[in-house]
Amino acid sequence: MGRKFGLDPYNAVVVAVTQVVFSYGAYYGQPFREPIDAVAVALLLVGPVGVLLRRRFPVSVAAGALVATYVYTWLGYPYGPVYLSPIILLFSLVTRGLRVAAWIMAGVTIGVFITYGYIRAGQPAGLFHDLAVTAFVLLLMVVAELTRIVRERRAQQQRAAEEETRRQASEERLTMARELHDVLAHNISLIHVQAATALHLIDDNPQQARTALATIKTASKEVLGEMRSVLNVLREGAPRSPTAGLDRLDELIERSGLDVKLERTGARPLPPQVERAAYRIVQESLTNASRHAPGAAVTVRLAYEPSGLGIEITDDGSTTPPVLAGEGSGNGIPGMRERAAALGGTLVAGPSGTGFRVSARLPLPEENR
């Protein structure tokens, strides 16, 4: 029962003891009222029972407790603690959203006690009594309404925070999926190309085949390390390894197995998200060149501007015809466009002469300009 009703049994016992015991004490200060008897005790216990059952039958028990309070008052028993349980039950109705029923009961209560002041008090209670009763009940209802509003706003803020947490988690999953795609696509393509080269040259040129195998070893180690870095964020408390940035571009070019020329103008530090996106764009472009134009000469240009970073990767397509943007079954070019768009930038990819060209611009956040 305690699990089902929470703290209600304890609250009901406290209210019952308070109303019964203190009503006896109230009688000594109000000798002109009727003494507490069995009927008074029974009426005093109706409210605590309502407190116990308020979660199951909120409107019914509140109405019953109020009627018991009306009867108790009209029978001339002492004022005082009897009003505790009606206050709790009306307050509970409002905070649980049963506002119409609560306000109707509050209005009836005001009418009953104003009428009592004129009929049962022995002489007209007067305007002060009427205003005092009305003010007390209205104050109770206003406090209950304010409490309800605060709770609803708090719940709304909590829902918004949970939704934002889910959104950020979804974005993080998409980011990790993109990172895994880029890492796997680049390194596996590199391994494939170098393995084909090693197989072709292993008999005629063992030394060059050995170089290709060494590249495969390095690439496989790299892909394992980067996968571990990305997946570590899934483990609670695991430190996240440094993400790929432009400081590792020379290493990326060296492992690509391509004839790559790197040109930088106005080099300077960039925000991590821009560096990561730029690195992945260059990586994917080199992967495409290695896959579709092996042996081609590639030029990578990075233009560091005050408002952003310009990236251009071109190959001469000297060994095989270029692949048009959007063709093929991979997600490389769409993925690069998504990376650029996520930062508010643009990316264009397509044939350029006999080769292929990728051009991107990544703007910097306002605080980094």
Side-chain angles (χ1 to χ4, degrees):
M1 187 174 184
R3 291 181 180 178
K4 192 169 186 178
F5 293 100
L7 294 175
D8 286 349
Y10 307 101
N11 294 335
V13 170
V14 171
V15 172
V17 171
T18 301
Q19 292 195 165
V20 173
V21 173
F22 283 90
S23 290
Y24 277 101
Y27 171 71
Y28 290 103
Q30 304 172 51
F32 53 90
R33 305 292 293 177
E34 295 293 327
I36 303 296
D37 55 18
V39 174
V41 171
L43 292 172
L44 288 169
L45 292 177
V46 173
V49 173
V51 173
L52 176 65
L53 301 176
R54 60 179 170 158
R55 298 185 190 276
R56 277 192 173 183
F57 315 105
V59 177
S60 301
V61 299
L66 284 171
V67 170
T69 304
Y70 303 156
V71 173
Y72 176 95
T73 304
W74 277 67
L75 290 178
Y77 293 116
Y79 302 124
V82 66
Y83 305 116
L84 178 59
S85 54
I87 290 173
I88 294 174
L89 293 171
L90 281 176
F91 194 93
S92 178
L93 284 180
V94 174
T95 56
R96 295 186 64 186
L98 301 170
R99 301 172 57 240
V100 175
W103 279 98
I104 291 175
M105 292 181 192
V108 171
T109 299
I110 292 173
V112 168
F113 283 109
I114 288 178
T115 303
Y116 169 81
Y118 285 94
I119 296 177
R120 294 288 297 171
Q123 59 181 357
L127 181 61
F128 178 79
H129 170 268
D130 300 345
L131 292 177
V133 170
T134 303
F136 179 81
V137 176
L138 290 180
L139 177 62
L140 168 66
M141 299 302 290
V142 169
V143 171
E145 290 284 2
L146 291 175
T147 302
R148 178 188 61 82
I149 292 172
V150 170
R151 289 181 180 178
E152 288 180 354
R153 287 184 177 177
R154 187 178 301 161
Q156 184 178 6
Q157 291 172 352
Q158 183 176 358
R159 288 193 297 270
E162 291 173 353
E163 181 63 27
E164 177 65 16
T165 300
R166 286 193 294 269
R167 185 189 65 79
Q168 291 179 355
S170 178
E171 290 183 354
E172 182 67 17
R173 286 193 295 270
L174 289 175
T175 299
M176 286 189 291
R178 189 181 295 119
E179 291 284 325
L180 285 174
H181 167 268
D182 291 345
V183 169
L184 291 173
H186 172 75
N187 287 284
I188 292 177
S189 295
L190 176 60
I191 289 171
H192 173 75
V193 171
Q194 294 297 328
T197 301
L199 286 174
H200 180 71
L201 298 174
I202 193 167
D203 294 326
D204 299 332
N205 195 335
Q207 183 60 37
Q208 193 170 349
R210 185 177 292 108
T211 301
L213 291 172
T215 302
I216 291 174
K217 178 182 177 181
T218 303
S220 62
K221 180 180 179 181
E222 176 72 14
V223 70
L224 289 174
E226 292 212 34
M227 285 182 63
R228 188 178 298 111
S229 171
V230 173
L231 294 176
N232 269 347
V233 299
L234 297 176
R235 302 192 185 99
E236 185 177 357
R240 186 166 186 173
S241 301
T243 55
L246 294 179
D247 58 327
R248 299 177 59 188
L249 202 54
D250 292 329
E251 179 185 348
L252 174 67
I253 291 172
E254 183 179 350
R255 292 188 292 102
S256 67
L258 296 169
D259 178 15
V260 181
K261 179 182 179 183
L262 176 61
E263 299 177 359
R264 301 177 193 250
T265 56
R268 65 187 180 92
L270 298 174
Q273 65 270 26
V274 176
E275 289 224 3
R276 183 168 59 250
Y279 180 92
R280 295 305 184 193
I281 289 173
V282 174
Q283 183 184 57
E284 184 63 34
S285 298
L286 294 181
T287 298
N288 289 340
S290 176
R291 181 184 302 160
H292 303 298
V298 181
T299 301
V300 177
R301 296 184 180 89
L302 300 178
Y304 294 77
E305 303 168 357
S307 60
L309 175 67
I311 307 168
E312 184 179 89
I313 305 98
T314 58
D315 67 73
D316 58 18
S318 58
T319 58
T320 59
V323 176
L324 297 178
E327 291 187 356
S329 59
N331 296 316
I333 292 176
M336 289 191 290
R337 287 200 181 101
E338 290 175 6
R339 283 189 177 277
L343 297 176
T346 57
L347 184 140
V348 178
S352 177
T354 60
F356 199 80
R357 176 175 174 269
V358 175
S359 178
R361 189 179 185 283
L362 307 178
L364 298 182
E366 290 291 340
E367 62 270 17
N368 296 106
R369 297 185 181 181

